[in-house]
Amino acid sequence: MVIEIDSGSGFCFGVTRAIERAEEILRSGEHLNCLGDIVHNGIECERLHNMGLRTIEHKDLHEMHNTSVLLRAHGEPPSTYQIAQQNGITIYDATCPVVLALQKRIKDKYLELVKSGRQGSIVIFGKKGHAEVLGLLGQTEGTAIVIERPQDAENLDFSHDIFLYSQTTKSLDEFHVIIDYCQKHISPDATFQSYDTICRQVANRMKHICEFATLHDVILFVSGAKSSNGKILYEACKEHNPDSYLIERPEEIETSWLAGANNVGICGATSTPKWLMEQVAGYINSTIIPSIR
């Protein structure tokens, strides 16, 4: 049985940067809290927890004073920085540079609209309640409109200006569907502008992972249960290869999945560590293959 780990899977740049920053601080001996799970992968969070990283929630931030808090790659709204400043909290900002640039663009547009007094809507294509989207909403003091699917664009008010942005990890194809719909329905007296803010490192994975799925008898997709990106990529794998299975850890693999397979592909989300995919490969070699023989 040939086992191949997808070279294009694993942490995106923003997640890698945040985890390396956390490890650096923890190795120095400093006590460190992370606002929310540093990455949507329970096993990686366990590893960092064992190094001393403590995960806190936003409600905890209000009660904390004179400590250190890491902001993960997803980014935060302005209110988080204000609370930290009031409470004497040291912030280590590991927000992904791509997300930071998007936050600035949305804030600049919001301030421009406020200053001009124009009637218009800032629209964000993203998942409601997602950490990145909450950070983007905060740039507009919560006034932006969030749409989760192309169909949601039907509910927009096209009589006023619309300025469309996207969460960095959303589907590029769906974003273009929304753009086309808005262009066709915007009032002649209103302006429609769209800004392509999707991270290409993430967007390009869809095509790659679909091709990878077709090259193997069986696909093992490794992802944490909380990963939105993982759910989307796994569904794409399943569509191109029905013998695709979603797992969080090696022990979840069922021997029957691999019986009769000549080759197995292992891939994962942008929140899946490479070392975990390698662990899956090792488990297949040490436990699954001997039991099949």
Side-chain angles (χ1 to χ4, degrees):
M1 186 185 296
V2 176
I3 302 170
E4 181 184 3
I5 298 175
D6 176 30
S7 60
S9 290
F11 291 152
C12 63
F13 163 75
V15 172
T16 298
R17 180 173 171 271
I19 287 176
E20 288 178 349
R21 186 72 177 112
E23 290 175 331
E24 177 187 351
I25 297 166
L26 291 169
R27 288 194 192 102
S28 72
E30 185 174 347
H31 178 76
L32 183 64
N33 305 285
C34 182
L35 188 55
D37 291 337
I38 192 169
V39 63
H40 291 151
N41 186 280
I43 297 176
E44 177 67 0
C45 287
E46 284 176 19
R47 184 184 73 85
L48 291 168
H49 176 76
N50 291 334
M51 288 184 65
L53 184 66
R54 180 187 173 211
T55 301
I56 61 169
E57 304 300 330
H58 283 82
K59 59 182 177 60
D60 301 319
L61 200 65
H62 293 269
E63 309 300 325
M64 301 176 75
H65 295 82
N66 306 314
T67 187
S68 298
V69 173
L70 178 80
L71 303 186
R72 55 193 176 167
H74 301 89
E76 286 291 325
S79 57
T80 297
Y81 296 87
Q82 293 165 3
I83 294 167
Q85 185 174 20
Q86 292 167 6
N87 291 4
I89 295 171
T90 299
I91 288 291
Y92 290 105
D93 197 342
T95 303
C96 173
V98 178
V99 175
L100 278 176
L102 173 54
Q103 287 184 347
K104 184 178 185 305
R105 292 179 73 170
I106 289 179
K107 184 173 184 177
D108 288 347
K109 178 58 68 177
Y110 172 69
L111 293 175
E112 176 189 319
L113 288 173
V114 171
K115 187 176 181 180
S116 67
R118 289 163 59 191
Q119 283 191 313
S121 299
I122 292 175
V123 178
I124 300 168
F125 173 42
K127 182 180 179 182
K128 293 179 181 178
H130 188 280
E132 180 185 328
V133 173
L134 293 176
L136 300 178
L137 270 173
Q139 310 307 314
T140 69
E141 298 184 8
T143 62
I145 298 169
V146 179
I147 59 175
E148 294 192 300
R149 307 167 301 162
Q151 303 94 296
D152 296 337
E154 298 173 9
N155 301 320
L156 297 175
D157 182 356
F158 293 103
S159 65
H160 300 307
D161 296 347
I162 292 177
F163 305 94
L164 177 67
Y165 300 83
S166 176
Q167 180 181 342
T168 60
T169 55
K170 292 297 283 183
S171 163
L172 190 57
D173 290 340
E174 289 187 329
F175 186 59
H176 283 297
V177 169
I178 296 171
I179 291 173
D180 290 343
Y181 185 87
C182 291
Q183 287 174 335
K184 290 174 182 175
H185 290 82
I186 193 73
S187 166
D189 300 321
T191 296
F192 170 69
Q193 293 179 353
S194 61
Y195 306 88
D196 185 350
T197 53
I198 294 174
C199 175
R200 287 303 185 272
Q201 189 186 14
V202 175
N204 291 339
R205 290 195 179 189
M206 179 62 76
K207 181 182 177 182
H208 171 81
I209 213 158
C210 290
E211 292 173 352
F212 183 80
T214 63
L215 298 175
H216 300 85
D217 297 331
V218 175
I219 290 292
L220 295 176
F221 191 91
V222 189
S223 176
K226 295 181 181 179
S227 174
S228 300
N229 168 261
K231 291 173 185 174
I232 294 169
L233 291 177
Y234 168 66
E235 288 301 327
C237 281
K238 191 77 173 175
E239 184 179 339
H240 287 78
N241 185 337
D243 291 318
S244 296
Y245 301 94
L246 177 63
I247 61 171
E248 189 165 9
R249 57 184 74 234
E251 296 77 16
E252 295 173 1
I253 301 171
E254 295 185 18
T255 304
S256 60
W257 297 347
L258 308 186
N262 293 315
N263 57 77
V264 176
I266 300 171
C267 50
T270 55
S271 55
T272 304
K274 264 286 197 298
W275 65 262
L276 183 55
M277 288 184 280
E278 291 167 355
Q279 201 175 82
V280 169
Y283 183 82
I284 294 171
N285 277 317
S286 65
T287 304
I288 302 295
I289 291 179
S291 67
I292 292 175
R293 287 174 180 163

